[in-house]
Amino acid sequence: MELRRGIDFVKRVDFRFSLFAKMNGLILLLFIPIIIVYTYSNSVAFKAIGKELQMSNIKQLSFLSSQIDSRIAQMMDFSIVFTKDPNIQKFNGLTLWGDRYDHMQTRFAVQEKMLLQSGVQNIWPVRYAVYSQQNKEVISNYNSKMKYNEEYLKKNLTGKWTYGFGDAVSPNEPKAFYWFYNDSFGSQGMLQGSSLVIEASFGPENIQNMLDTYKGDGQGDPFFYRKGENPILNRSAEKSVSSELIRYLDKQSLGDKMQRVVRLDNKKYLVSAVKSPQLNWHVVDAVPLDQILGTISFNRNLFYLSMVLLFILGISASILLYRNVQRPIKQLISGLQSVKRGDYSVRIHSNGQNEFSFLFQRFNEMSRQIKELIENVLNEKLRSREATLKQLQAQINPHFLYNCLGYIINMAQMKDEEAVVSMAYNLSAYYRYTTRMERQTASLAEETRLIVNYLDIQKLRNGRINYHIDIPEVMMSQLVPRLMLQPIVENAVIHGVGKSYTSGEIRISGEMSNGFCRIYIDDDGPGMKPDLQELLNDKMWEPLQEEMGCGLWNTNQRIIHLFGEHSFLSFTESPLGGFRTEIVWEIKAEDEHHPIPTSQGGQ
């Protein structure tokens, strides 16, 4: 039975989760490969685009650096060629000077050529100055009041581009990039008394112009950097990001090219640096990866959001199917299981109007009809049992009456008036109780008084019989089936005491504990073998057979019917050495303490 219940439970659990779990599993199987494939392809595309972005950024920075170097090279080439210009040679005094007018024309011609070269491209304004060591004069296209300073030339005549002056002619003038060229062959760093020196310079604005143009075509934030110098930022640079990046670069060792992913201001940036060979500075660019790859990330997040929404929609459809299909089927199966267990009062209620509502109505009608049929059959069985009980009483009472009347006749002939009165009194009380059929139950106190009358009658007929009744007062108010004790006590008298010439003790005791009442009927007769006791106990739970006595079986069935399936008769060996019958029935908690007065007989 337990194994069958376990199998039924497993089947119910399997059905409960089969359809719902299969649908959700199918949804997962559909989504997981799509998400895995998309994630992989997105990762590959992300890496490819990131690599291409790095290469493109390096190429753009290299192009910007080459543009800067190209313009610087143009300045240097012009400076070298400019020293060979006749007007420059004339200005340096290699030819005889003419009058003052000729002198002014020469200076004007030199300035015109410098201004013309400087204004070729507005994005890269250039400043030139020509120093004549022989004449101690200087011509400049940016400062007409500039004076010759030979110490200044000696300090800066290095042949390399420098940032700022050695000793500035004008201390308030901002820093610029300077390069000095000496026309003396083989002696760039020396002045020979008649040297001609060309000074080429440009300000940081030129670099800013190039950086602004570069930034306008891209999405980075470029600047010109050299460790130990103030960087040259583009005009729309983010100061906080640039400052944080400069602090980072100050700790690094930069080569000709460098490219790294750096986190600045809680954002990832692709930092690239390319060295300018002419100036020995680095062009640095910081590209926000989130901004560059933002479209890809947005599309990826949009795809994941779509997958989540589709998954929620699929789960919602699965839940809807579960609620409208599987749950009604589950209710129907649960109802059938209850009917299978014998609970015919189960009803299935439906809130909606669909196909299952019709099935639920038919199920409820079927359950109601089955319950009515079973109740009718049960009532017929009860009426049959009552008829059997009355038939037993009608069969037993005449034989018992004949024996008692015979005893009275014998005692009357022997002039034993006391025995006649006692027998007549007990016999009258006994039959007054047994012939009242209006109620099928009686209190245990009434049943006990009947047993006292019966045992007193048997004691008058057989002087060996002694009895003792010990039932707690608290049990006397319990309602039990009428004539519950009489067949059992009679069985103890006839088959226990009556089959031995030495025995005669009958003891009736009771107890109430743990929600159960127990009554023990013991005798000191010959008893019964253990295997026969076990067989008798088994027969109490089997259908009534023709060869089986119906007194004990009928009493057991009446107890079960009145008190429930936890109530029964049981047969064991008695502590007196004979046979014990145990009556057990289940009680309600509120019925445990309702004693009523009673009287008990004795020996």
Side-chain angles (χ1 to χ4, degrees), residues 444-603:
L444 187 58
E446 294 173 330
E447 285 288 297
T448 304
R449 286 195 292 269
L450 173 67
I451 296 305
V452 170
N453 295 138
Y454 176 78
L455 290 176
D456 283 344
I457 292 173
Q458 295 294 347
K459 183 176 177 63
L460 290 172
R461 295 178 56 200
N462 186 352
R464 289 186 295 104
I465 294 178
N466 292 315
Y467 67 91
H468 179 75
I469 300 176
D470 184 16
I471 299 177
E473 287 290 335
V474 70
M475 292 179 59
M476 290 301 182
S477 62
Q478 293 290 317
L479 293 179
V480 297
R482 288 177 63 84
L483 301 179
M484 180 183 72
L485 299 178
Q486 194 273 339
I488 301 173
V489 175
E490 183 178 0
N491 186 71
V493 172
I494 296 174
H495 299 286
V497 177
K499 290 188 177 182
S500 175
Y501 293 102
T502 60
S503 61
E505 179 71 20
I506 295 178
R507 184 178 300 168
I508 303 172
S509 58
E511 65 177 2
M512 177 186 290
S513 63
N514 300 324
F516 286 90
C517 285
R518 289 179 172 82
I519 293 181
Y520 307 99
I521 297 95
D522 296 288
D523 64 69
D524 60 350
M528 183 180 292
K529 295 181 179 180
D531 55 341
L532 295 178
Q533 287 182 2
E534 184 177 357
L535 179 63
L536 183 60
N537 282 319
D538 293 338
K539 287 183 177 181
M540 291 296 101
W541 299 99
E542 298 175 356
L544 182 62
Q545 302 176 6
E546 293 183 0
E547 67 275 8
M548 186 191 306
C550 62
L552 296 178
W553 185 89
N554 189 54
T555 302
N556 184 61
Q557 294 299 315
R558 293 170 65 207
I559 292 173
I560 293 174
H561 176 66
L562 182 62
F563 298 111
E565 60 182 3
H566 297 294
S567 306
F568 54 88
L569 285 182
S570 178
F571 308 104
T572 58
E573 182 179 356
S574 173
L576 299 180
F579 189 74
R580 164 176 279 191
T581 301
E582 180 181 358
I583 306 174
V584 181
W585 70 88
E586 189 176 12
I587 60 174
K588 297 180 181 179
E590 58 269 19
D591 295 337
E592 290 187 3
H593 302 287
H594 296 286
I596 61 175
T598 184
S599 60
Q600 298 180 0
Q603 58 181 5

Side-chain angles (χ1 to χ4, degrees), residues 135-152:
N135 298 327
K136 307 300 182 184
E137 291 190 17
V138 59
I139 301 176
S140 171
N141 67 342
Y142 64 94
N143 188 356
S144 60
K145 298 180 180 180
M146 197 171 180
K147 295 181 179 182
Y148 181 84
N149 187 340
E150 191 164 330
E151 292 298 324
Y152 166 72

Side-chain angles (χ1 to χ4, degrees), residues 73-97:
Q74 290 177 6
M75 294 175 60
M76 295 172 67
D77 292 341
F78 173 76
S79 298
I80 295 172
V81 172
F82 197 38
T83 59
K84 309 303 180 183
D85 188 272
N87 290 319
I88 294 296
Q89 294 293 332
K90 186 177 182 180
F91 168 72
N92 196 29
L94 295 179
T95 61
L96 296 175
W97 281 92

Side-chain angles (χ1 to χ4, degrees), residues 230-515:
N230 290 328
I232 301 174
L233 306 178
N234 64 82
R235 292 181 176 87
S236 59
E238 294 185 17
K239 299 296 180 62
S240 59
V241 175
S242 299
S243 300
E244 191 173 352
L245 179 56
I246 290 168
R247 287 194 296 270
Y248 170 78
L249 294 175
D250 287 341
K251 301 177 183 177
Q252 308 299 319
S253 178
L254 304 180
D256 292 339
K257 291 183 180 180
M258 185 274 289
Q259 193 170 55
R260 296 174 187 172
V261 176
V262 181
R263 180 171 290 276
L264 304 172
D265 197 18
N266 295 325
K267 294 181 181 179
K268 286 185 177 181
Y269 287 83
L270 176 62
V271 178
S272 304
V274 176
K275 186 176 182 180
S276 171
Q278 296 285 3
L279 301 179
N280 201 24
W281 283 54
H282 285 82
V283 181
V284 182
D285 187 21
V287 179
L289 290 178
D290 294 339
Q291 183 177 354
I292 299 297
L293 303 177
T295 303
I296 299 177
S297 299
F298 176 78
N299 292 334
R300 178 196 60 196
N301 297 335
L302 184 62
F303 173 80
Y304 287 148
L305 178 61
S306 301
M307 290 295 100
V308 170
L309 293 177
L310 287 176
F311 182 76
I312 293 174
L313 183 62
I315 295 297
S316 300
S318 176
I319 293 174
L320 186 64
L321 183 62
Y322 172 78
R323 293 184 59 184
N324 292 276
V325 176
Q326 189 171 357
R327 181 180 291 178
I329 294 177
K330 173 189 168 184
Q331 290 178 325
L332 189 60
I333 292 178
S334 178
L336 291 174
Q337 294 290 344
S338 298
V339 171
K340 181 180 178 181
R341 292 192 298 268
D343 183 11
Y344 301 101
S345 63
V346 63
R347 297 292 183 270
I348 303 177
H349 303 284
S350 175
N351 297 327
Q353 295 295 329
N354 49 33
E355 293 81 358
F356 287 101
S357 300
F358 175 78
L359 290 177
F360 291 168
Q361 293 175 3
R362 299 288 78 79
F363 173 83
N364 294 337
E365 184 177 351
M366 177 195 71
S367 179
R368 180 182 59 79
Q369 292 177 354
I370 293 176
K371 183 179 180 181
E372 291 179 355
L373 290 174
I374 291 178
E375 289 178 350
N376 292 335
V377 172
L378 181 60
N379 290 332
E380 290 296 329
K381 287 185 178 180
L382 292 177
R383 285 193 289 270
S384 176
R385 288 176 183 175
E386 292 177 3
T388 302
L389 176 61
K390 292 180 180 180
Q391 182 182 5
L392 289 173
Q393 291 175 347
Q395 292 175 351
I396 295 174
N397 291 341
H399 181 72
F400 178 73
L401 178 61
Y402 297 154
N403 292 333
C404 291
L405 291 177
Y407 176 81
I408 291 175
I409 292 172
N410 292 332
M411 291 299 103
Q413 291 175 351
M414 295 174 62
K415 306 300 183 181
D416 190 350
E417 296 179 359
E418 184 177 355
V420 171
V421 171
S422 178
M423 175 61 77
Y425 173 78
N426 287 291
L427 187 63
S428 172
Y430 177 81
Y431 272 97
R432 184 181 300 111
Y433 181 80
T434 57
T435 54
R436 295 176 61 184
M437 298 296 180
E438 67 275 8
R439 290 187 298 116
Q440 295 302 316
T441 59
S443 66
L444 187 58
E446 294 173 330
E447 285 288 297
T448 304
R449 286 195 292 269
L450 173 67
I451 296 305
V452 170
N453 295 138
Y454 176 78
L455 290 176
D456 283 344
I457 292 173
Q458 295 294 347
K459 183 176 177 63
L460 290 172
R461 295 178 56 200
N462 186 352
R464 289 186 295 104
I465 294 178
N466 292 315
Y467 67 91
H468 179 75
I469 300 176
D470 184 16
I471 299 177
E473 287 290 335
V474 70
M475 292 179 59
M476 290 301 182
S477 62
Q478 293 290 317
L479 293 179
V480 297
R482 288 177 63 84
L483 301 179
M484 180 183 72
L485 299 178
Q486 194 273 339
I488 301 173
V489 175
E490 183 178 0
N491 186 71
V493 172
I494 296 174
H495 299 286
V497 177
K499 290 188 177 182
S500 175
Y501 293 102
T502 60
S503 61
E505 179 71 20
I506 295 178
R507 184 178 300 168
I508 303 172
S509 58
E511 65 177 2
M512 177 186 290
S513 63
N514 300 324

